[in-house]
Amino acid sequence: MATEKKPTTIKKYANRRLYDTGTSTYVTLEDLAAMVKRGEDFVVCDAKTGEDITRPVLTQIIFEQESKDGQSLLPIAFLRQLIRFYGDSMQMLVPSYLEFSIDRLTRDQQKFRDQVSQALEGAPFGEPTRQAFQSLEEQARKNMAVFRHALTMFNPFGLPAEPPAASAEAAAAPAAEPPRSDLDEMKRQLDELNKRIDQLSSKG
């Protein structure tokens, strides 16, 4: 019977060097980033204490990637809002929502890739491309609706309960739209993506 492959153990020493016990070689954060992209699972532990420090190391990898020109994925508005959630009563819900959203994006990424590819083959960076990003915007809108619905189940945390009539109307509706401010923020981010695409088009 096939056995499930265990994650590779990466040891981090006091001098900040990372040692891959699977290949018996020292590695860098870039190497770990490449492992993640290849789908290779690993855990990072402190070589002295044995403490699991995978989370801070992965966070450091993201910081390194965000520092590279043209590779940033996290909008400033998103980072600010994420910081605001620390210590907030809704903090416990944020990880589940983010996991849900990234899982949906991962499962649907081929569809979005195909849409962008078709746009590039036709009219470069034209209406088809905008439609692809609008699909992303629509998915984000649906995720927000699901997230807000989940929040209403945690009314003890200070979220206002909807009146019975409003709840019935919400149940009949296909999906509740997020607040106007959220929609505006999504549109702003979409506009930024379109501007980046136009810049790439002009460079080409």
Side-chain angles (χ1 to χ4, degrees):
M1 294 180 62
T3 57
E4 184 177 352
K5 185 178 180 181
K6 294 183 178 180
T8 301
T9 298
I10 308 295
K11 292 184 178 181
K12 186 175 183 179
Y13 290 89
N15 59 4
R16 297 186 178 182
R17 298 194 70 183
L18 299 164
Y19 184 77
D20 186 334
T21 61
T23 60
S24 299
T25 58
Y26 285 99
V27 294
T28 64
L29 290 177
E30 284 287 344
D31 295 326
L32 295 186
M35 290 176 65
V36 172
K37 293 177 181 179
R38 293 196 300 266
E40 299 179 22
D41 195 12
F42 60 82
V43 293
V44 186
C45 63
D46 187 288
K48 184 178 181 180
T49 65
E51 178 187 1
D52 188 333
I53 55 174
T54 306
R55 186 189 301 273
V57 170
L58 291 176
T59 304
Q60 188 177 358
I61 291 174
I62 292 175
F63 174 78
E64 293 288 340
Q65 297 296 315
E66 286 287 313
S67 299
K68 295 181 179 179
D69 292 337
Q71 285 202 182
S72 60
L73 293 177
L74 305 177
I76 292 179
F78 170 81
L79 293 173
R80 292 184 189 278
Q81 185 58 60
L82 195 61
I83 292 172
R84 293 189 186 104
F85 276 124
Y86 284 102
D88 189 271
S89 59
M90 294 191 297
Q91 178 176 339
M92 62 178 294
L93 294 176
V94 175
S96 297
Y97 170 69
L98 293 179
E99 287 181 352
F100 169 79
S101 298
I102 200 67
D103 179 64
R104 292 292 296 270
L105 179 59
T106 300
R107 287 190 285 114
D108 294 340
Q109 64 176 312
Q110 189 56 50
K111 178 178 68 176
F112 295 126
R113 290 179 191 274
D114 292 342
Q115 290 176 334
V116 173
S117 177
Q118 291 174 4
L120 295 177
E121 292 175 359
F125 309 108
E127 186 62 26
T129 304
R130 299 185 189 279
Q131 290 176 358
F133 286 111
Q134 286 172 355
S135 296
L136 284 172
E137 181 186 29
E138 179 62 26
Q139 185 61 61
R141 188 179 289 114
K142 291 180 180 178
N143 289 350
M144 181 64 73
V146 173
F147 183 47
R148 289 184 60 79
H149 176 69
L151 293 183
T152 61
M153 300 174 64
F154 289 82
N155 195 49
F157 294 149
L159 292 170
E162 294 183 2
S167 298
E169 293 176 1
E177 285 196 353
R180 188 71 238 173
S181 59
D182 292 329
L183 287 175
D184 291 340
E185 177 59 24
M186 291 176 190
K187 290 180 178 179
R188 186 190 66 76
Q189 294 182 17
L190 179 61
D191 289 339
E192 289 183 358
L193 288 172
N194 286 331
K195 289 179 180 178
R196 292 185 183 181
I197 290 175
D198 292 338
Q199 291 174 356
L200 291 174
S201 178
S202 62
K203 290 180 180 180

